Amino acid sequence: MSASRYDAIVVGGGHNGLITAAYLARAGLGTLVLERRNRVGGAAVTQEFHPGFKVDTAAHRVGALHPAVLSDLELDARRLPFQQADPTVLAPFRDGRYLTLWRDPVRSAETIREISVSDADRWAAFCDFVSRAGRVLQTLYEAPPPRLQGAGAGDLWSLVRLGGRLRGIGRKDLVDVLRVLPMTADEFLSEWFESEELKGALAASAVTGLHQGPMASGTAFMFLHQHVGVERGIIRPTLRVRGGIGQVSGALADAATRSGAEIRVGVEVDGISTEGKRVTGVTTAGGEHIQAQLVVSGLDPRRTFLGLLDPTALDVAFRRKVANLKFRGVCAKVNLALSELPDFTCVGADQSLLAGLITISPSLMYLERAYDAAKYGRVSDAPYLEVIIPSISDDSLAPRGAHVMSILAQYAPYHLAEGSWDDARRKALGDLVVRTLAAHAPNLEETIRHRQVLTPPDLERELGLTEGNIYHGEMTLDQVFFMRPVPGWSSYRSPVQGLYLCSAGTHPGGGVTGNPGHNAAQEILSDR
């Protein structure tokens, strides 16, 4: 095969792009992956940010990876040594109390009982509901949603097949889930629980990555989305991989190359070439034109359609829909190299309680007030923090006795009402995050050897996340299911023949799950 012609080109070497490439290569297509950065993985990368200290640069949790991806690409425990934290969640409070959630729902109920007897009694039923709801969503996530706008015979058949799968779930579960999806996290959780501490620890999962607070419609859906494919009883899962999340991307890259795909890093795609309404290949920033009848973009819809395509390749109405997509990133990432383990005073000497996810979200109102600042273009003075210390269970990430701390900080809006994100604001954000955590771990500041702060514009510039949005587009109800990325185009196809999307900006959305990459590959191959 000529070096300038391939059957398929995948733009972007994120985990979804690598999955799509692996499937296309397995099917016999000459497949090329082009990645702008000098490593694959997109937001799922692990890097040394200080000598001897490695951290997950952006995403620091693995979702429930698509089972077919694990089996088809032979990603066994040797290639991906997963680590399950227990407890899964530690929620410290300013008065010295704390809440732990465990993999065993009975054990979680025992700790909840210290806060609320009523909530403890309802915990098992809540876990059952979340598990059933996860199964409903998983059924919806296994294939592209039927196209409702401009549907044809094929779309109607897809709707019939979907109805058959949903019928197997049971009418009651389906109705219960459909009732919950448009609810606020506040409404959903308040139906179950009375404790503000418990609701705060749970509601954080409903707003992570969203420019919304827990009192916004649809945040209940986001909570359930975070629990698709998760084992019953595990709430706010913290699945990781020994060596960091970059091991997932590395294993997927190996699977793609074993299948016959070629991967080039350090090559930026400058444009997608077309003739009429058909794709013909790509042009790199270095001026190379690479021909292909099939191009799959692992970039978000805005970057793909408005950044890489000639405007004449798309009609005005479609371009307007893409231009109106909401991104509005609100997350920053703070990574710390620590000389020793922080002393979280609430747990005393029991450091094993720090092995999972540490959430600074003591109540629903705390989260809502944090969001209030973002509504007006300000950084929250009292931010929600999602903290992981992976070196507790993985000594490959830091020198002996030292640790790394990975912190997702919210709300830090991409769009500021006054000024811009500069070095001073970056430093101030890092100081704020450390100060917020130091209220629970007083020795934190003195243990810091090095600090890395990534603001939303940093995430956009370094990782290609438009407006710093970690989901390639907000996961609000108007941008999910058959409306993701835009109505009429939820099947990974595009108005340009031969151009497909496979990123988190497509159905079913964000998280390191591989669902978009897997589903896109199946649709592409079904078209051939």
Side-chain angles (χ1 to χ4, degrees), residues 127-467:
C127 291
D128 284 338
F129 175 80
V130 172
S131 180
R132 295 197 308 273
R135 287 197 295 272
V136 173
L137 290 181
Q138 191 166 24
T139 299
L140 295 172
Y141 288 0
E142 288 173 351
R147 184 172 55 173
L148 302 183
Q149 183 176 0
D155 300 294
L156 296 177
W157 179 238
S158 296
L159 188 60
V160 170
R161 289 200 304 269
L162 175 60
R165 294 199 303 271
L166 291 175
R167 192 178 303 117
I169 291 172
R171 179 178 298 177
K172 184 180 184 306
D173 284 350
L174 181 59
V175 171
D176 286 347
V177 172
L178 290 177
R179 182 184 73 86
V180 167
L181 293 185
M183 293 173 69
T184 71
D186 182 9
E187 293 166 339
F188 170 55
L189 294 172
S190 294
E191 282 192 351
W192 289 93
F193 306 118
E194 64 180 11
S195 163
E196 284 302 312
E197 293 94 339
L198 178 58
K199 288 190 286 186
L202 300 179
S205 188
V207 298
T208 301
L210 293 186
H211 196 285
Q212 288 185 325
M215 297 180 184
S217 178
T219 46
F221 155 71
M222 191 60 183
F223 177 86
L224 297 178
H225 171 82
Q226 303 280 20
H227 293 84
V228 172
V230 176
E231 182 182 335
R232 178 196 172 275
I234 300 178
I235 303 298
R236 298 201 68 183
T238 55
L239 183 65
R240 299 195 293 268
V241 178
R242 178 171 175 78
I245 201 168
Q247 298 298 316
V248 175
S249 300
L252 292 171
D254 289 343
T257 53
R258 287 199 314 271
S259 300
E262 178 185 343
I263 299 175
R264 297 188 202 171
V265 297
V267 179
E268 182 173 5
V269 172
D270 194 48
I272 297 174
S273 307
T274 60
E275 286 185 5
K277 293 290 184 179
R278 175 160 192 88
V279 75
T280 60
V282 303
T283 302
T284 71
E288 180 183 7
H289 179 67
I290 308 173
Q291 297 179 357
Q293 295 182 338
L294 173 63
V295 173
V296 188
S297 176
L299 312 184
D300 69 67
R302 182 188 291 178
R303 285 177 178 260
T304 301
F305 293 121
L306 304 187
L308 297 181
L309 276 175
D310 187 303
T312 61
L314 300 168
D315 63 52
V316 173
F318 182 85
R319 286 178 57 84
R320 185 181 301 115
K321 291 178 183 177
V322 174
N324 288 334
L325 287 175
K326 294 179 298 184
F327 286 81
R328 302 188 304 176
V330 291
C331 292
K333 186 74 190 305
V334 179
N335 300 316
L336 303 178
L338 307 176
S339 60
E340 61 182 289
L341 193 64
D343 179 16
F344 280 81
T345 54
C346 64
V347 302
D350 193 355
Q351 298 179 347
S352 65
L353 297 181
L354 305 175
L357 182 154
I358 304 167
T359 184
I360 308 301
S361 53
S363 70
L364 274 163
M365 189 54 66
Y366 179 96
L367 290 167
E368 188 67 26
R369 286 173 176 163
Y371 169 59
D372 280 343
K375 282 193 295 188
Y376 301 104
R378 302 193 306 269
V379 175
S380 306
D381 292 332
Y384 150 51
L385 304 179
E386 179 181 285
V387 184
I388 292 177
I389 312 175
S391 50
I392 290 177
S393 56
D394 186 352
D395 58 10
S396 70
L397 300 176
R400 185 178 181 86
H403 289 277
V404 292
M405 179 180 278
S406 174
I407 309 164
L408 189 72
Q410 192 173 320
Y411 295 79
Y414 177 88
H415 296 287
L416 295 171
E418 297 180 2
S420 60
W421 282 104
D422 54 19
D423 290 343
R425 275 209 158 125
R426 186 182 295 107
K427 180 182 182 303
L429 175 61
D431 292 343
L432 170 65
V433 168
V434 170
R435 187 167 61 249
T436 302
L437 269 180
H440 304 279
N443 73 327
L444 176 62
E445 190 164 5
E446 65 191 53
T447 69
I448 298 174
R449 291 188 184 178
H450 181 72
R451 185 174 80 183
Q452 178 188 47
V453 180
L454 298 172
T455 67
D458 294 329
L459 296 174
E460 178 180 60
R461 180 173 54 255
E462 296 187 22
L463 300 177
L465 300 176
T466 296
E467 295 186 19

Side-chain angles (χ1 to χ4, degrees), residues 85-93 98-113 115 119-120 123 126-127 189 193 197-205 223 227 233-238 352-359 361:
D86 207 19
T88 59
V89 176
L90 168 70
F93 308 122
Y98 66 91
L99 171 69
T100 50
L101 300 179
W102 302 79
R103 292 174 57 79
D104 179 1
V106 174
R107 193 171 183 183
S108 293
E110 291 173 355
T111 62
I112 294 170
R113 193 171 302 278
I115 296 176
D119 290 354
W123 184 253
F126 175 75
C127 291
L189 294 172
F193 306 118
E197 293 94 339
L198 178 58
K199 288 190 286 186
L202 300 179
S205 188
F223 177 86
H227 293 84
I234 300 178
I235 303 298
R236 298 201 68 183
T238 55
S352 65
L353 297 181
L354 305 175
L357 182 154
I358 304 167
T359 184
S361 53

Side-chain angles (χ1 to χ4, degrees), residues 18-19 21-29 31 72-73 252-262:
L18 294 170
I19 289 170
Y23 275 104
L24 298 184
R26 277 164 49 93
L29 277 66
T31 304
D72 292 345
L73 304 187
L252 292 171
D254 289 343
T257 53
R258 287 199 314 271
S259 300
E262 178 185 343

